[in-house]
Every structure is written in C-alpha cells, then in structure tokens.
C-alpha cells in the first residue's frame, strides 16, 4: 500500500512538474507577446505622432493658401473697382467731349449763319 502510494505520489509530482514546466513555457510566451505588443504600441504611437505633426503642417499650409487666396481676391476686387472708376471717368469725359463738340458745331453753325 505504501509502495502504491509512493508511486502515485511520484506520478503526481511528475504531473505537477510537467504542469509547472507548461505554465513556465506559457508565461515565457505571454511575456514575449507582451514585449511584442509593447513594441507594436510604440511604433503605432510614433506613427500617430508623425501623422499629427503632418496634419498640423498641412493645416498650416491650407491656412496660408486660404490667406493668400483671400489677399488675391481682395486685390482683384480693388482692381475691379479701380477699373470701373476709370471706365466711368472715361465715359464721363467722352460724354463731355461729345457735348463740347456739339456745342462747338452749333456755335460754328450760328457764326456761319450770321
């Protein structure tokens, strides 16, 4: 009976040793996976930081482009207003000259008739 119990105990110890080795192997694998996950996380965080920097750079570029576009639009509007004023002044001067020419022609006709 003691011999049988001794064999059972030996079997139990061997089984427990096998289980312990299995658990140690699983622990090593989990630690390896954890290290891989940490490395992957660091890479992803680095990528995220670079993308955020790139986004900020692109946003600034867009802001500058919008500002330049607005300046060009304002300049175009100023030129349009100046052109309109010049055209109006040209029309006014043309009308004045035509009126003056008509007046001159009338005066000339009156003088010729006298």
């Amino acid at each position: 009976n003691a011999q049988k119990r001794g064999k059972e105990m030996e079997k139990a110890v061997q089984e427990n040793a096998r289980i312990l080795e299995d658990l140690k192997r699983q622990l090593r694998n989990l630690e390896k996976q954890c290290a891989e996950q940490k490395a992957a996380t660091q890479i992803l965080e680095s990528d995220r930081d670079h993308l955020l920097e790139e986004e900020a750079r692109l946003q600034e570029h867009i802001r500058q482009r919008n500002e330049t576009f607005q300046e060009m639009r304002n300049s175009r509007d100023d030129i349009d207003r100046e052109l309109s004023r010049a055209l109006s002044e040209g029309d006014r001067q043309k009308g004045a000259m035509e009126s003056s020419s008509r007046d001159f022609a009338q005066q000339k006709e009156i003088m010729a008739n006298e």
Side-chain angles (χ1 to χ4, degrees):
N1 196 12
Q3 195 176 14
K4 186 178 176 185
R5 257 187 112 199
K7 290 228 181 222
E8 285 174 1
M9 287 296 277
E10 188 179 324
K11 266 185 169 179
V13 167
Q14 287 175 350
E15 180 63 18
N16 286 340
R18 187 189 62 75
I19 291 171
L20 179 61
E21 284 307 310
D22 246 8
L23 291 173
K24 285 180 180 179
R25 183 180 46 77
Q26 288 176 10
L27 179 61
R28 283 191 302 273
N29 285 339
L30 290 172
E31 287 173 338
K32 181 181 173 187
Q33 288 176 3
C34 184
E36 290 170 353
Q37 289 296 319
K38 282 182 182 178
T41 299
Q42 288 175 343
I43 290 169
L44 289 172
E45 287 173 345
S46 176
D47 288 350
R48 179 203 60 211
D49 292 345
H50 288 116
L51 288 171
L52 288 172
E53 289 170 6
E54 181 67 9
E55 178 191 24
R57 188 186 67 73
L58 290 171
Q59 289 290 351
E60 176 59 18
H61 186 70
I62 289 169
R63 188 196 64 73
Q64 289 175 352
R65 283 246 171 135
N66 287 341
E67 188 175 289
T68 299
F69 182 72
Q70 187 60 44
E71 288 171 0
M72 290 173 64
R73 183 181 287 151
N74 291 343
S75 179
R76 181 204 62 203
D77 292 346
D78 290 345
I79 290 169
D80 283 347
R81 280 189 293 276
E82 191 175 318
L83 180 60
S84 290
R85 279 193 300 269
L87 290 172
S88 293
E89 180 61 20
D91 288 345
R92 187 192 64 75
Q93 287 180 1
K94 181 181 174 188
M97 288 184 72
E98 287 173 349
S99 176
S100 180
S101 292
R102 280 190 303 274
D103 288 347
F104 178 75
Q106 286 174 352
Q107 288 295 326
K108 182 178 161 189
E109 202 174 307
I110 290 171
M111 289 174 78
N113 289 336
E114 291 179 350

